[in-house]
Amino acid sequence: MKSKLALAIILATAATTAVSGPVEEQIRFRQSAYSFLGWNTGKIKKQVVDHPETFNKDYVAAAANAIAAVANSGLGELYGPGTDQGTGWKTTRLKPEFFQKKEEVTAAANTFNEAANDLARVAATGDINAIKTQFGKVGESCKGCHNLARIKE
Amino acid sequence: MKVTIHIWDLPLRLFHWLLAAAVVAAYITGKLGGNLIDWHGRIGALILGLLVFRIIWGFIGTTHARFINFFPTFSRLAAYLKGGWQGVGHNPLGALAVFALLADLAVLVSTGLFAGDDIAFEGPLFNLVDKALSDKLSGWHNLAFDLLAGLIAVHLAAIGFYRWVKKTNLVVPMVTGKKQVPKAVATSLTGGGALRFFTTVIISGAVVWGIWGGLEIIKPVESAPATVAKPSF
Ligand code: HEM
């Protein structure tokens, strides 16, 4: 009996591992994805908000496309069970409540995805004022999810 | 027998209401983020200036604004709790709240200077500390705000208590600067003056200007000079 249970556990673990990697790997990729987002939002902020005189349409469009690509990559896969505990590049800051608030978080994530795709569309036009407005919406959507799902240190 | 005295000077009243409005605005912009977050930084700068102003004014301002005249010492607190305190400015318990508010505000503003939201906003001194410390300070910034919200609730509750239980209106004096007090303890304010006021404003402005990039030493280091070519991929 005990060995059957152990076997079941091993198989179940192996199954989740096969799909999305062990817990720590999910956390590590998640943190990498968000860091990369932060790099790109920083670039847009610099050229569109802080120093509009340096605005370069292609540079900003590339950053916006990178953000949209990450948004469309299916980050939900990196939020497997148990990933509120563990260490990726550093100890995870995912709130345990994430798993109880699934609907709210899904809504927040979808808001972000839509805002990011809209930003990529607007960035392609090179209209700096429209980009700035849409960039603000993306920033709000990042913040909305952080307020909901990310532990304040 | 009651007489009307001049209790709060104009700079102090301006400080109070500007601070109240700025804290509300900082809360809203800090929570919402997006393009409003830059206003959070600007309002934070205003609050830092107001705080420096209030601290200096606490030493060289008018009578009832001076810390030494209302510092809640043990003997004053004990006298107040036994019902034997007499005075017209902040009472010793209220003074405790004033110092708690100012101290927490100082923590809030100073942690904010090093904080970052990981999205598109950083305090002006973000680059002076490493990221792990900045993350910690961002966390404290949040905690300091929660504490401030609690202190403000106590502050408002006390004002309500005075208004409806003790039948004393504390809000009107903070607007008009005038208060009706028993003749025995009536002391109108003295001190202050335009010269001291402008000196205080200039020092406060200089502190804000220095922190927000005026001083070269605390400017962030550019990652590489523009003349160094980077790979073109
Ligand atoms: C009394 C003045 C201030 C108040 C009331 C205040 C309040 C707040 C609030 C409510 C938040 C949102 C926290 C959350 O998302 O839960 C916040 C975030 C932030 N504030 Fe302030 N703040 C003040 C001053 C400052 C100053 C002077 C700065 C420096 C420029 C600053 C920088 C920041 C940063 C970088 C964040 C983002 C932190 C994060 O998301 O973890 N704050 N602040």
Side-chain angles (χ1 to χ4, degrees), chain B residues 184-197:
Chain B
V185 292
T187 12
S188 258
L189 62 80
T190 54
L195 179 64
R196 287 181 173 197
F197 170 70

Side-chain angles (χ1 to χ4, degrees), chain A residues 113-136:
Chain A
N113 290 355
E114 281 162 31
N117 283 299
D118 284 346
L119 180 64
R121 257 191 300 283
V122 176
T125 68
D127 174 351
I128 186 167
N129 290 319
I131 296 172
K132 185 173 167 184
T133 306
Q134 186 56 30
F135 178 65

Side-chain angles (χ1 to χ4, degrees), chain A residues 41 45 132 136 143 150 152-153, chain B residues 30 34-35 38 118-120 139:
Chain A
T41 47
K45 166 94 175 197
K132 185 173 167 184
K143 185 111 180 162
R150 187 189 188 206
K152 313 236 180 255
E153 292 251 297
Chain B
N35 285 339
D38 286 325
D118 270 347
I119 301 166

Side-chain angles (χ1 to χ4, degrees), chain A residues 75-87:
Chain A
L75 292 175
E77 203 175 302
L78 300 177
Y79 286 91
T83 58
D84 56 337
Q85 296 287 300
T87 305

Side-chain angles (χ1 to χ4, degrees), chain B residues 7-233:
Chain B
I7 183 161
W8 307 123
D9 62 63
L10 181 62
L12 189 84
R13 284 177 276 144
L14 276 177
F15 158 82
H16 178 272
W17 294 112
L18 271 175
L19 180 67
V23 165
V24 172
Y27 169 70
I28 295 170
T29 52
K31 277 286 175 207
L32 290 182
N35 285 339
L36 285 177
I37 199 69
D38 286 325
W39 282 99
H40 186 78
R42 289 175 199 133
I43 294 159
L46 172 67
I47 292 175
L48 173 66
L50 288 170
L51 193 61
V52 174
F53 175 87
R54 183 63 186 94
I55 290 168
I56 301 176
W57 207 239
F59 290 96
I60 66 169
T62 58
T63 316
H64 305 294
R66 288 197 188 197
F67 297 142
I68 197 156
N69 290 338
F70 63 87
F71 192 82
T73 57
F74 278 114
S75 62
R76 282 179 187 167
L77 276 167
Y80 180 75
L81 293 174
K82 289 193 205 111
W85 179 81
Q86 290 217 309
V88 293
H90 294 295
N91 72 48
L93 219 50
L96 216 51
V98 170
F99 282 103
L101 280 162
L102 290 176
D104 185 45
L105 210 53
V107 173
L108 185 60
V109 171
S110 28
T111 51
L113 297 176
F114 299 93
D117 68 358
D118 270 347
I119 301 166
F121 178 63
E122 282 133 22
L125 304 185
F126 176 83
N127 284 305
L128 288 188
V129 297
D130 65 30
K131 185 66 170 68
L133 180 55
S134 167
D135 283 349
K136 269 267 163 319
L137 294 173
S138 305
W140 292 358
H141 189 67
N142 283 296
L143 290 177
F145 180 77
D146 294 345
L147 179 60
L148 183 71
L151 290 171
I152 292 172
V154 172
H155 179 63
L156 295 178
I159 289 166
F161 176 77
Y162 269 85
R163 176 78 179 75
W164 286 292
V165 180
K166 300 190 85 171
K167 309 287 179 205
T168 308
N169 192 323
L170 298 178
V171 179
V172 168
M174 192 46 85
V175 176
T176 62
K178 303 227 167 18
K179 193 179 179 189
Q180 291 231 313
V181 298
K183 186 155 192 206
V185 292
T187 12
S188 258
L189 62 80
T190 54
L195 179 64
R196 287 181 173 197
F197 170 70
F198 286 115
T199 311
T200 310
V201 169
I202 288 168
I203 296 173
S204 313
V207 170
V208 174
W209 171 82
I211 290 179
W212 259 263
L215 290 182
E216 289 296 325
I217 41 162
I218 50 183
K219 275 213 172 129
V221 187
E222 285 293 328
S223 54
T227 48
V228 176
K230 291 185 186 173
S232 64
F233 51 83

Side-chain angles (χ1 to χ4, degrees), chain A residues 81-133:
Chain A
T83 58
D84 56 337
Q85 296 287 300
T87 305
W89 297 114
K90 56 190 181 198
T91 309
T92 182
R93 287 173 67 180
L94 180 64
K95 282 188 190 168
E97 299 100 279
F98 175 91
F99 296 102
Q100 279 95 59
K101 293 190 181 165
K102 267 225 163 97
E103 271 157 44
E104 277 173 82
V105 182
T106 307
N110 285 335
T111 307
F112 161 64
N113 290 355
E114 281 162 31
N117 283 299
D118 284 346
L119 180 64
R121 257 191 300 283
V122 176
T125 68
D127 174 351
I128 186 167
N129 290 319
I131 296 172
K132 185 173 167 184
T133 306

